[in-house]
Every structure is written in C-alpha cells, then in structure tokens.
Amino acid sequence: MRSTSQRKQAAAPEASGDPAVARAVEAVGRRPAGRRLLLLSDFDGTLCEFRPAPESVYLDRARRDLLDALARRPGVTVGLVSGRRLEDLRARAGLEAPVYYAGLHGLEIAGAGASFVHERVAETRGLLQVLARALDAHLSALDGVRLENKDLSVAVHTRLASPAHRAEARRIVERVVGPHLARRTFRMLPGSAVIEILPNIPWTKGHAVRWIRADVERRHGPAWPVYLGDDVTDEDAFEAIGSSGLTIVVGDRESAAAMRLSGPPAVEAWLRSLTDLPL
Ligand SMILES: [Mg+2]
C-alpha cells in the first residue's frame, strides 16, 4: 500500500503535464451518475510497449498494481481484450484482482465466474496447423519475420522486417492461405505490423466488448464502458461503444475513437490519475 502511494505522488507532476491525459481523466470524471465504470483495454501496444519478440512482453509492475487497485474498487470492473490466447494474456498481465480476459479477439472470454468459447473455434484447428507448418517453411528465410502459432490462430509478425521482406511475407501468406480465404474457412486480419489468420467466424473485439458489457450489467446494473486500443482491430470495439461510453486510441494511428493518448506511458499516467477519482 505504501509503495503505491509513493509512486502516485512521484508521478503526479508527469501525469498532469500531458493535456491529453488530463482531458481523458476529466471525461471519466464526467461519466453519467450511477453507472459502473467498465474499464476495457487492449494489451500489446496499449498497456505494454511492443518488443521485438511478442513472447517477451509482460505487463509492467507499476501498471499491474494500478489495474489491480482499480479492479478492486467497488464501482469498477476491468477487462483485457487481446488477439493473444486467453491463458497467454492472463499470464502476461499477472493481475491478482478478478478481471475479464478476452483472448483471440474475443473468441474466448473468461472472468467474474463467467466464460465463453465460440462454438466454432475448434473446427478449423487441424487445417490451421497444416497451414502454419507451410508458412513457417517459407517465412523462416525472411529476416525480421516471425510466425507465432497460437494453436487456434496464427500471427505473422513483420515489425522488425525490412519493407521488402514485409512485402514478401505478405505475398507468401496470400499464396498459402489465399485458397482457404476464398473458401471462407479462414479470414485474414491485417494489423499494423502483423498479419493474423483466424477461423472465419464473424466475431471481433466489438463482440467481445458487447459480451463483457452484457455480463457486467447483468451482475451490477448499468455500466459506462471505456475502451483503449492501439490497433486497427480495436476499431470494432470503438464502434461497439460509440457514444455510450469513452473510446481512446493509443498512438498516432487514424481512428474513430473520441480521444487519443500518445502511448503506453500516457496510459499509465491516465490510470494513475484515475486512482485519485472517487470510483
Ligand atoms: Mg494492440
């Protein structure tokens, strides 16, 4: 407890120095009375800085403490929404307080005693593993391109690749996966520096947000959702919330979100300021 208040004091000037942080704090302060704060966030690039290897990304301790503190407030529910597998997300967040986790863009959700797995998730696993092996054989020659096999989905990371290798990776993915896209077995989700191949189930982070909100409102009454995210795939979540809550894009990407924070450190400053609000 003592260390949390020390950190809060130490970081307060920094938090108030960013007008975007101050505006986003004020927006939460102005939320409609009697609504539970439902704080939903993407993970990579939003709560955590990107790292060359996605497997080396973990939630920073100070941010974990802030989210735990907020999640323990009686008027707050916290949820994380990610393209990662649910169990991977849970382990990397390391939160102790009960929160919602939505993995695979919401195809699997758990939290608060509730859980959800889309009924069609297991259908395509075998074929996807065949495709993953084929992709790996072709992509392993390209410097800076990494294949991440998530069992039910496959991600091709190109953040560290040269523009030429990035374009070549895209061509390889289209060649290997293309026929299955045409048959609508899989769909391709192109992110900022990652291409993700998922079972073609019409389900997005927007569906995840709606599912979690409905579950929270069933338990606690009306909620006021806030969603933070940095990637193209977070736009579905922004759309699901619209003007019924607060949407915050992280980084400089073009977005339909109502507000913007510059990066994970600004998100941390915002979370720290939220702990000063009566919630
Ligand atoms: Mg992200």
CSV table of all heavy atoms in Angstrom, one decimal, residues 56-79:
chain,number,residue,atom,x,y,z
A,56,SER,N,8.2,-11.8,-25.2
A,56,SER,CA,8.9,-11.1,-24.1
A,56,SER,C,8.1,-10.0,-23.5
A,56,SER,O,8.6,-9.2,-22.7
A,56,SER,CB,10.3,-10.7,-24.5
A,56,SER,OG,10.2,-9.6,-25.5
A,57,VAL,N,6.9,-9.8,-23.9
A,57,VAL,CA,6.0,-8.7,-23.4
A,57,VAL,C,5.3,-9.2,-22.2
A,57,VAL,O,4.6,-10.2,-22.2
A,57,VAL,CB,5.0,-8.3,-24.5
A,57,VAL,CG1,4.0,-7.3,-23.9
A,57,VAL,CG2,5.8,-7.7,-25.7
A,58,TYR,N,5.5,-8.4,-21.1
A,58,TYR,CA,4.7,-8.6,-19.8
A,58,TYR,C,4.3,-7.3,-19.3
A,58,TYR,O,4.9,-6.3,-19.6
A,58,TYR,CB,5.6,-9.3,-18.8
A,58,TYR,CG,5.9,-10.8,-19.1
A,58,TYR,CD1,7.0,-11.1,-19.8
A,58,TYR,CD2,5.1,-11.8,-18.6
A,58,TYR,CE1,7.3,-12.4,-20.1
A,58,TYR,CE2,5.3,-13.1,-19.0
A,58,TYR,CZ,6.4,-13.4,-19.7
A,58,TYR,OH,6.7,-14.7,-20.0
A,59,LEU,N,3.2,-7.3,-18.6
A,59,LEU,CA,2.7,-6.0,-18.0
A,59,LEU,C,3.6,-5.6,-17.0
A,59,LEU,O,4.0,-6.3,-16.0
A,59,LEU,CB,1.3,-6.3,-17.4
A,59,LEU,CG,0.6,-5.0,-16.9
A,59,LEU,CD1,0.4,-4.0,-18.0
A,59,LEU,CD2,-0.8,-5.4,-16.3
A,60,ASP,N,4.0,-4.3,-17.1
A,60,ASP,CA,5.0,-3.6,-16.2
A,60,ASP,C,4.4,-3.6,-14.8
A,60,ASP,O,3.1,-3.5,-14.6
A,60,ASP,CB,5.1,-2.2,-16.7
A,60,ASP,CG,5.8,-1.3,-15.8
A,60,ASP,OD1,7.0,-1.3,-15.8
A,60,ASP,OD2,5.1,-0.6,-15.0
A,61,ARG,N,5.2,-3.8,-13.8
A,61,ARG,CA,4.7,-3.9,-12.4
A,61,ARG,C,3.9,-2.8,-11.9
A,61,ARG,O,2.8,-2.9,-11.3
A,61,ARG,CB,5.9,-4.1,-11.5
A,61,ARG,CG,5.4,-4.5,-10.1
A,61,ARG,CD,6.6,-4.7,-9.1
A,61,ARG,NE,5.9,-5.0,-7.8
A,61,ARG,CZ,6.5,-5.7,-6.9
A,61,ARG,NH1,7.6,-6.2,-7.1
A,61,ARG,NH2,5.9,-5.9,-5.8
A,62,ALA,N,4.3,-1.5,-12.2
A,62,ALA,CA,3.6,-0.4,-11.8
A,62,ALA,C,2.2,-0.3,-12.4
A,62,ALA,O,1.2,0.0,-11.7
A,62,ALA,CB,4.3,0.9,-12.1
A,63,ARG,N,2.1,-0.7,-13.7
A,63,ARG,CA,0.8,-0.7,-14.4
A,63,ARG,C,-0.1,-1.8,-13.8
A,63,ARG,O,-1.3,-1.6,-13.7
A,63,ARG,CB,1.0,-0.8,-15.9
A,63,ARG,CG,1.8,0.4,-16.4
A,63,ARG,CD,2.2,0.1,-17.9
A,63,ARG,NE,3.2,1.2,-18.2
A,63,ARG,CZ,3.9,1.2,-19.4
A,63,ARG,NH1,3.7,0.3,-20.3
A,63,ARG,NH2,4.8,2.1,-19.6
A,64,ARG,N,0.5,-2.9,-13.5
A,64,ARG,CA,-0.2,-4.1,-12.9
A,64,ARG,C,-0.8,-3.6,-11.6
A,64,ARG,O,-2.0,-3.9,-11.3
A,64,ARG,CB,0.7,-5.2,-12.7
A,64,ARG,CG,0.1,-6.5,-12.5
A,64,ARG,CD,1.1,-7.6,-12.3
A,64,ARG,NE,1.8,-7.5,-11.1
A,64,ARG,CZ,3.0,-8.0,-10.9
A,64,ARG,NH1,3.6,-8.7,-11.8
A,64,ARG,NH2,3.6,-7.8,-9.7
A,65,ASP,N,0.0,-3.0,-10.8
A,65,ASP,CA,-0.6,-2.5,-9.5
A,65,ASP,C,-1.7,-1.5,-9.7
A,65,ASP,O,-2.7,-1.6,-8.9
A,65,ASP,CB,0.6,-1.8,-8.7
A,65,ASP,CG,1.6,-2.8,-8.1
A,65,ASP,OD1,1.3,-4.1,-8.2
A,65,ASP,OD2,2.7,-2.4,-7.7
A,66,LEU,N,-1.6,-0.6,-10.6
A,66,LEU,CA,-2.7,0.3,-10.9
A,66,LEU,C,-4.0,-0.4,-11.3
A,66,LEU,O,-5.0,-0.1,-10.8
A,66,LEU,CB,-2.2,1.3,-12.0
A,66,LEU,CG,-1.2,2.4,-11.5
A,66,LEU,CD1,-0.6,3.1,-12.8
A,66,LEU,CD2,-1.7,3.3,-10.5
A,67,LEU,N,-3.8,-1.3,-12.2
A,67,LEU,CA,-5.0,-2.0,-12.7
A,67,LEU,C,-5.6,-2.9,-11.6
A,67,LEU,O,-6.9,-3.0,-11.5
A,67,LEU,CB,-4.7,-2.9,-13.9
A,67,LEU,CG,-4.5,-2.2,-15.2
A,67,LEU,CD1,-4.0,-3.2,-16.3
A,67,LEU,CD2,-5.9,-1.6,-15.7
A,68,ASP,N,-4.8,-3.5,-10.8
A,68,ASP,CA,-5.3,-4.3,-9.6
A,68,ASP,C,-6.0,-3.4,-8.7
A,68,ASP,O,-7.1,-3.7,-8.2
A,68,ASP,CB,-4.1,-5.0,-8.9
A,68,ASP,CG,-3.9,-6.4,-9.4
A,68,ASP,OD1,-4.8,-7.0,-9.9
A,68,ASP,OD2,-2.7,-6.9,-9.3
A,69,ALA,N,-5.5,-2.2,-8.4
A,69,ALA,CA,-6.1,-1.2,-7.5
A,69,ALA,C,-7.4,-0.8,-8.0
A,69,ALA,O,-8.4,-0.7,-7.3
A,69,ALA,CB,-5.2,0.0,-7.2
A,70,LEU,N,-7.5,-0.5,-9.3
A,70,LEU,CA,-8.8,-0.1,-9.9
A,70,LEU,C,-9.8,-1.2,-9.9
A,70,LEU,O,-11.0,-1.0,-9.6
A,70,LEU,CB,-8.5,0.4,-11.4
A,70,LEU,CG,-7.9,1.8,-11.4
A,70,LEU,CD1,-7.3,2.1,-12.9
A,70,LEU,CD2,-8.8,2.9,-11.0
A,71,ALA,N,-9.3,-2.4,-10.2
A,71,ALA,CA,-10.3,-3.6,-10.3
A,71,ALA,C,-10.9,-3.9,-9.0
A,71,ALA,O,-11.9,-4.5,-8.9
A,71,ALA,CB,-9.5,-4.8,-10.9
A,72,ARG,N,-10.2,-3.5,-7.9
A,72,ARG,CA,-10.7,-3.8,-6.5
A,72,ARG,C,-11.6,-2.7,-6.0
A,72,ARG,O,-12.3,-2.9,-5.0
A,72,ARG,CB,-9.5,-3.9,-5.6
A,72,ARG,CG,-8.7,-5.2,-5.8
A,72,ARG,CD,-7.7,-5.4,-4.6
A,72,ARG,NE,-7.0,-6.6,-4.8
A,72,ARG,CZ,-5.7,-6.7,-5.2
A,72,ARG,NH1,-5.0,-5.6,-5.3
A,72,ARG,NH2,-5.1,-7.9,-5.4
A,73,ARG,N,-11.7,-1.6,-6.8
A,73,ARG,CA,-12.7,-0.6,-6.4
A,73,ARG,C,-14.1,-1.1,-6.5
A,73,ARG,O,-14.4,-1.8,-7.5
A,73,ARG,CB,-12.6,0.7,-7.3
A,73,ARG,CG,-11.3,1.4,-7.1
A,73,ARG,CD,-11.2,2.2,-5.8
A,73,ARG,NE,-10.0,2.9,-5.8
A,73,ARG,CZ,-9.8,4.2,-6.1
A,73,ARG,NH1,-10.8,4.9,-6.6
A,73,ARG,NH2,-8.6,4.8,-6.0
A,74,PRO,N,-15.0,-0.8,-5.6
A,74,PRO,CA,-16.4,-1.4,-5.7
A,74,PRO,C,-17.2,-1.0,-6.9
A,74,PRO,O,-18.0,-1.7,-7.4
A,74,PRO,CB,-17.1,-0.9,-4.4
A,74,PRO,CG,-16.2,0.2,-3.9
A,74,PRO,CD,-14.8,0.0,-4.4
A,75,GLY,N,-16.8,0.2,-7.5
A,75,GLY,CA,-17.6,0.7,-8.6
A,75,GLY,C,-16.9,0.5,-10.0
A,75,GLY,O,-17.3,1.1,-11.0
A,76,VAL,N,-16.0,-0.4,-10.0
A,76,VAL,CA,-15.2,-0.6,-11.3
A,76,VAL,C,-15.1,-2.1,-11.6
A,76,VAL,O,-14.9,-2.9,-10.8
A,76,VAL,CB,-13.7,0.0,-11.1
A,76,VAL,CG1,-12.9,-0.2,-12.4
A,76,VAL,CG2,-13.8,1.4,-10.6
A,77,THR,N,-15.2,-2.4,-13.0
A,77,THR,CA,-14.8,-3.7,-13.5
A,77,THR,C,-13.7,-3.4,-14.6
A,77,THR,O,-13.8,-2.5,-15.4
A,77,THR,CB,-16.0,-4.4,-14.1
A,77,THR,OG1,-17.0,-4.7,-13.1
A,77,THR,CG2,-15.6,-5.7,-14.8
A,78,VAL,N,-12.7,-4.3,-14.5
A,78,VAL,CA,-11.6,-4.2,-15.5
A,78,VAL,C,-11.6,-5.4,-16.4
A,78,VAL,O,-11.9,-6.5,-16.0
A,78,VAL,CB,-10.2,-4.1,-14.8
A,78,VAL,CG1,-9.1,-4.2,-15.8
A,78,VAL,CG2,-10.1,-2.8,-14.0
A,79,GLY,N,-11.3,-5.2,-17.7
A,79,GLY,CA,-11.2,-6.3,-18.7
A,79,GLY,C,-10.1,-6.0,-19.7
A,79,GLY,O,-9.9,-4.9,-20.1
